[in-house]
Amino acid sequence: MWKLYSRSYLAHNRAARRSIAAAALAAAFFLSLVGSLFYNFWVYEIERITLEEGGWQGRVTVEQSGAALDETLDALARFANVETAALNTGLSENGVAVIDLTFRDLGDAYADLDRIREALALPDEAVQAHELLLSRYLVNDPQDSSPSLLMPFYLAVLGAVALALVLLIRNSFAITMQARLHQLGILASVGATPRQLRLCLLQEAAALALLPLALGTALGLAACSGVLAALNAAAAHVAGRHTAVFQMHPLLAAAILLLSLLTVLFSAWLPARRLSRMTPLEALRDGAAESPALRWKRRRHARLLALCFGIRGELAGNALRAQKRSLRIANVSLLLSFLGFTAMLCFFTLSGISTQMTYFARYQDAWDVMATVPGASLDDFSLTEPLRALPGVEDCTVYEKARAQCFLPAGAQSDALQALGGLGALDGSAVPLDGGWLVDAPIMVLDDASFLAYCEACGIEPALDGAVLLDRVWDSLHSHFRDPLYLPFVQPDTEALTLAGDGGAALGDLPLLGRTGDPPNLREEYDDYALVLFWPQSLWQELGAAWGLAPAGADTRLTVRLLGRDGITQEECRALQTAAAALLEEGGYACTIENRIDEKIANDEMIAGAQLILGAFCLLLAAIGLANVFLNTRGFVHQRRREFARYLSLGMTPAELRSLFWIEGAVVAGRPLVVTLPLTAAVVAFMLDASHLEAEIFLAQAPVLPVALFAALIVGTVALAYGLGARELLTGDLTAVLKDDSLR
């Protein structure tokens, strides 16, 4: 009997069928798209980490070889959770063996590594976990107070989308079922039980949703494949990036389809449960009552809309309040999407301005090619002159860095610094010592030719038997980091500084050739409260090792800075980079090398990629909200026919009835815009104040056009939804609605 009843109802109510089918299609599409995207992003991240760092999950380093190493490998393989234990031949050398481990159950990886450390009596540093790779499997070090939150964030987003879709579809079912309240009351009055009513409503939902669910899942997977193809095309020129390949595990596809079905059934069960609990009298009374908008009119007044549009604004406001619960997802989604989109664009605009000012613009003329050579030092580096002689090189500086400390008596501080209260007034972390201060003294060791050229540029007599002091300290009390004011650090007659070792023990007096407020033309940042010292290579060879300042072994690192001609092109920059890399490789030096122009392009592409991902998420939120608007508008059409028929009988014209839809649509679309713009302005004002940027600089590059296009998308889509609803409602015969009491 219930099958006959459901079949009869669905056959005579195409609007209800379309509404439920559209809701199921939207749910399956969004869940499939988001789920498959996150799965493919996860797979791509695993592949990237594996390619760059290896697929090992744990690593053991032992000083063994031969039979002892074989015994250790056998012992590791006997651990129940260890799947493989293999010698890493690329990292093993000079009697030190590196063993890579993989585990069967990744959840116990950290616990098993602790057991391995104890069983083999190894020090803590000999056992290592691949923290980045394990974190992508939601396995984090229990001792880590700040674990990676990337995967939990992905899962939280997926959960939020699923919850939003549950509420979205629930609204669609609630609208359809509310329209049948009078019929359900009649059925209950003749003996239908609440369980029978619930099963009837659920079987209707399942029958209508199966085909749209399958179609929506397929469309979501196709859309995911299209997104990956678009991303691959956009990043095809990025060097070293491996191509993302669309992947879909059959179990994941089945899980998405099952989740979509459960979402639809749960969404249908919520209103069905509520309706089935109503008494027959309540169902008959509420089902036969007038439109909810008319009941709201007697309770509250839409004062603002009434002031702007008169009685039409009052009626539209009442209708919106009647739909408040069903439009909740739309309001929240549109608000969050527009707020997130505008805030994201403003943040990236400010970040780009700041990066341009503090990095690219500042170092525009400081470097064109930079190479970092680990394990090398100036003492044994023989390629300085060959690098300087490369075609297109206007200037070449080879340098290394070291750390030291300096004891600065209170009286040795400049008069201007003492007038502000001394170093302690500017730097809260300064360490007082014996009536003075123990100050950090970073050392920059330049090759002799570059050091002599630097002395000439500063107006200091060139020599190789002393250092040059960067004599400046930031006056943080009267300036900010964006436009800093500097004071002299030491007295003008300072001719030497006392360098100190650990604990402040004096190492010796360093002679100074002179003082300057301008550092050499390098891509380096300097501590604002440190006594930065520039040494020539010859002096460093004489005093660095003797005073214990020179780093040794793996801690040594050499930097090569090459500067080409003014206006160097990208092709010339790449050619210079290639030539320098080849020369260093021929000399037996492994290095990482980059050029300024490609670095700028890569930075811009990285920001654009982040904007694309976050923008797509904002569009997804907007799509959910707009889908809710469409479903709600079309679903309420049947319920509102009686309401609009009464308005027509009271003398309102079709044009006035149509204006009610436009007022409601304007409120739905305008609310997120009106709320977002002041909030965004406040956020931007806060970011401008924190970054010390002038508002005029931001306004000149403000993302007005993208924000306007996003707002136009919201307004246009909402207008389309309400326009279609008005057309469907007003083109029908409203006069017949007042006489229609059938059970269809």
Side-chain angles (χ1 to χ4, degrees):
M1 189 273 286
W2 291 109
K3 292 182 180 179
L4 293 176
Y5 168 71
S6 296
R7 189 179 297 115
S8 174
Y9 172 80
L10 296 175
H12 292 87
N13 289 269
R14 295 181 180 179
R17 295 205 313 265
R18 289 196 298 265
S19 177
I20 294 176
L25 179 67
F29 174 78
F30 285 125
L31 284 175
S32 177
L33 175 61
V34 174
S36 56
L37 277 177
F38 283 176
Y39 174 76
N40 278 276
F41 286 160
W42 175 72
V43 170
Y44 183 84
E45 181 71 1
I46 296 295
E47 292 176 348
R48 182 190 65 81
I49 295 172
T50 302
L51 289 173
E52 294 179 359
E53 303 181 17
W56 58 277
Q57 297 158 1
R59 180 167 282 173
V60 176
T61 303
V62 293
E63 295 183 359
Q64 295 176 352
S65 60
L69 178 58
D70 292 337
E71 291 180 4
T72 300
L73 288 170
D74 291 338
L76 290 172
R78 285 195 296 271
F79 276 84
N81 195 35
V82 173
E83 185 173 14
T84 62
L87 181 66
N88 189 321
T89 56
L91 298 178
S92 302
E93 58 181 359
N94 300 327
V96 177
V98 178
I99 304 171
D100 291 342
L101 306 176
T102 61
F103 300 95
R104 294 184 176 88
D105 182 6
L106 294 182
D108 293 332
Y110 285 98
D112 281 306
L113 288 174
D114 289 337
R115 297 188 189 100
I116 289 171
R117 183 186 300 110
E118 294 174 0
L120 300 181
L122 298 173
D124 291 345
E125 60 272 12
V127 178
Q128 179 186 1
H130 198 163
E131 296 180 357
L132 183 60
L133 181 61
L134 291 176
S135 69
R136 298 305 182 257
Y137 290 98
L138 295 178
V139 179
N140 294 298
D141 186 354
Q143 306 299 324
D144 188 359
S145 59
S146 56
S148 173
L149 299 178
L150 180 63
M151 293 307 298
F153 171 75
Y154 281 171
L155 294 177
V157 171
L158 182 59
V161 170
L163 178 61
L165 292 173
V166 168
L167 298 178
L168 183 150
I169 304 172
R170 174 194 174 279
N171 291 336
S172 181
F173 280 110
I175 293 169
T176 304
M177 294 178 184
Q178 185 70 28
R180 304 175 61 187
L181 195 55
H182 187 64
Q183 301 173 14
L184 297 176
I186 294 175
L187 293 173
S189 67
V190 296
T193 65
R195 181 175 178 274
Q196 289 174 322
L197 294 177
R198 285 196 300 271
L199 289 177
C200 173
L201 297 173
L202 288 176
Q203 78 179 9
E204 292 176 11
L208 290 174
L210 287 178
L211 184 59
L213 287 178
L215 180 60
T217 301
L219 290 176
L221 295 178
C224 174
S225 178
V227 170
L228 292 181
L231 290 176
N232 285 329
H237 60 286
V238 177
R241 177 188 179 274
H242 75 282
T243 303
V245 179
F246 174 74
Q247 302 183 47
M248 179 51 55
H249 197 284
L251 290 179
L252 179 62
I256 291 174
L257 189 59
L258 178 61
L259 180 60
S260 302
L261 179 60
L262 292 177
T263 300
V264 170
L265 293 179
F266 183 66
S267 303
W269 180 80
L270 290 174
R273 177 174 176 269
R274 184 181 66 84
L275 294 181
S276 65
R277 288 186 170 187
M278 298 179 69
T279 64
L281 230 97
E282 290 174 332
L284 289 171
R285 182 190 60 208
D286 289 349
E290 63 270 18
S291 168
L294 298 178
R295 296 201 301 269
W296 271 107
K297 178 182 176 182
R298 293 196 293 266
R299 297 181 185 178
R300 291 183 59 185
H301 295 279
R303 300 185 184 278
L304 181 59
L305 291 178
L307 180 64
C308 297
F309 303 103
I311 185 62
R312 290 175 299 163
E314 181 85 13
L315 295 175
N318 290 342
L320 287 171
R321 278 196 295 273
Q323 304 171 60
K324 182 177 180 180
R325 293 183 62 184
S326 58
L327 282 174
R328 186 174 298 157
I329 291 298
N331 293 330
V332 173
S333 297
L334 293 178
L335 176 61
L336 291 179
S337 65
F338 192 61
L339 179 61
F341 188 78
T342 53
M344 174 200 69
L345 287 181
C346 291
F347 170 78
F348 278 111
T349 300
L350 283 170
S351 177
I353 293 173
S354 179
T355 302
Q356 180 65 29
M357 294 175 62
T358 59
Y359 183 77
F360 292 109
R362 177 181 297 181
Y363 299 118
Q364 179 73 23
D365 300 322
W367 70 291
D368 288 317
V369 173
M370 293 283 287
T372 301
V373 187
S377 65
L378 277 171
D379 293 346
D380 54 14
F381 189 72
S382 59
L383 296 180
T384 302
E385 292 306 320
L387 286 168
R388 189 171 282 126
L390 286 175
V393 174
E394 298 289 332
D395 185 35
C396 171
T397 300
V398 182
Y399 63 95
E400 61 179 304
K401 296 182 280 188
R403 304 293 303 179
Q405 291 181 310
C406 174
F407 175 70
L408 185 67
Q413 299 177 84
S414 68
D415 294 339
L417 180 56
Q418 293 185 51
L420 291 179
L423 181 62
L426 300 179
D427 182 14
S429 62
V431 180
L433 181 68
D434 297 335
W437 300 92
L438 192 61
V439 184
D440 285 337
I443 297 173
M444 305 285 295
V445 185
L446 311 181
D447 66 89
D448 288 345
S450 297
F451 181 81
L452 294 174
Y454 174 54
C455 290
E456 290 183 2
C458 296
I460 298 173
E461 185 67 27
L464 298 176
D465 56 354
V468 173
L469 171 67
L470 182 62
D471 185 22
R472 69 182 193 187
V473 61
W474 175 33
D475 182 4
S476 58
L477 299 179
H478 301 97
S479 64
H480 52 75
F481 70 91
R482 186 72 63 190
D483 188 19
L485 296 176
Y486 291 104
L487 303 173
F489 207 140
V490 300
Q491 291 288 347
D493 56 354
T494 303
E495 296 181 353
L497 290 176
T498 302
L499 296 189
D502 295 336
L507 298 176
D509 292 335
L510 175 69
L512 296 179
L513 299 177
R515 301 171 297 106
T516 181
D518 298 317
N521 193 23
L522 304 175
R523 193 192 66 178
E524 294 290 340
E525 296 283 346
Y526 304 103
D527 191 335
D528 292 307
Y529 306 108
L531 287 164
V532 183
L533 296 165
F534 299 99
W535 290 37
Q537 178 181 353
S538 300
L539 183 64
W540 180 250
Q541 291 172 342
E542 177 184 348
L543 298 179
W547 287 354
L549 299 174
D555 294 332
T556 60
R557 178 168 300 189
L558 202 64
T559 304
V560 178
R561 189 271 284 162
L562 301 177
L563 189 63
R565 67 173 182 84
D566 289 340
I568 188 173
T569 64
Q570 184 179 15
E571 290 73 17
E572 293 172 336
C573 219
R574 288 178 174 175
L576 184 57
Q577 177 183 355
T578 302
L583 184 60
L584 290 168
E585 184 178 355
E586 290 175 3
Y589 296 102
C591 70
T592 57
I593 190 166
E594 58 185 342
N595 71 74
R596 175 178 53 82
I597 298 178
D598 283 345
E599 181 77 5
K600 176 67 166 58
I601 294 174
N603 179 78
D604 293 342
E605 290 176 346
M606 181 182 65
I607 293 176
Q611 287 179 319
L612 179 63
I613 293 173
L614 294 176
F617 177 65
C618 293
L619 283 174
L620 177 62
L621 281 178
I624 292 175
L626 294 172
N628 180 255
V629 172
F630 265 97
L631 294 174
N632 187 75
T633 304
R634 304 303 299 279
F636 263 106
V637 164
H638 182 75
Q639 281 188 276
R640 301 189 68 182
R641 285 180 178 176
R642 184 181 298 272
E643 171 194 345
F644 275 78
R646 293 184 178 183
Y647 293 155
L648 191 63
S649 67
L650 293 175
M652 293 185 69
T653 65
E656 290 175 326
L657 295 180
R658 187 174 288 105
S659 68
L660 295 180
F661 277 94
W662 295 127
I663 294 172
E664 293 176 25
V667 173
V668 172
R671 185 184 289 118
L673 310 185
V674 172
V675 174
T676 293
L677 293 179
L679 289 177
T680 303
V683 171
V684 169
F686 172 78
M687 290 191 292
L688 286 173
D689 181 69
S691 60
H692 298 286
L693 278 174
E694 298 178 0
E696 293 79 6
I697 298 176
F698 169 76
L699 292 176
Q701 302 183 39
V704 176
L705 181 59
V707 171
L709 291 176
F710 197 88
L713 172 66
I714 292 176
V715 172
T717 309
V718 172
L720 177 63
Y722 275 90
L724 293 175
R727 179 183 177 184
E728 182 176 347
L729 184 65
L730 298 178
T731 53
D733 184 8
L734 293 178
T735 58
V737 176
L738 296 175
K739 300 180 293 183
D740 185 11
D741 283 326
S742 69
L743 269 175
R744 292 191 317 224

